[in-house]
Amino acid sequence: MAQVTWRANDDLVRRVQAVAASEGLSMNELMTRVLSIATDSDERDPAAVRLRERLRAAGMLASWAPTSPAPPDAADLDRARAAAGTGTKLADIVSAQRR
């Protein structure tokens, strides 16, 4: 799990703390929830839908789609397979170091 430092003016921090307290959440839980809603369009909770609409109206709704890396090129894969198992064996290197 990553840790993030957030800088904001004191008034905003107080407002976030107040909203979190009114919801029975820690500030961390509230911020995590808000950012999750802003970046996950699959969240269907009514509060999430309302927040997403507010963010969209403000032009602040994130729009991204997770991507997976492209598969390796077939020629690159063939070269890697051919190179696998060639070279000096680890056991030989260790044995040489022990002499």
Side-chain angles (χ1 to χ4, degrees):
M1 181 174 292
Q3 183 173 345
V4 177
T5 300
W6 174 55
R7 289 184 185 85
N9 67 51
D10 293 339
D11 184 55
L12 177 57
V13 172
R14 280 192 290 277
R15 290 192 328 255
V16 171
Q17 288 170 328
V19 170
S22 73
E23 297 289 324
L25 301 170
S26 70
M27 201 163 112
N28 182 74
E29 289 169 322
L30 176 68
M31 291 179 65
T32 299
R33 178 99 171 104
V34 168
L35 293 172
S36 177
I37 290 167
T39 60
D40 182 0
S41 61
D42 290 337
E43 180 81 40
R44 299 290 179 222
D45 178 284
V49 172
R50 283 193 307 275
L51 176 57
R52 210 172 8 265
E53 287 307 314
R54 288 176 67 186
L55 290 168
R56 182 179 286 108
M60 297 181 65
L61 187 65
S63 59
W64 70 280
T67 58
S68 55
D73 178 82
D76 289 340
L77 194 54
D78 288 340
R79 280 190 293 279
R81 283 188 180 122
T86 63
T88 307
K89 295 178 184 175
L90 179 59
D92 293 342
I93 294 170
V94 171
S95 295
Q97 293 294 320
R98 291 185 178 166
R99 294 184 196 145

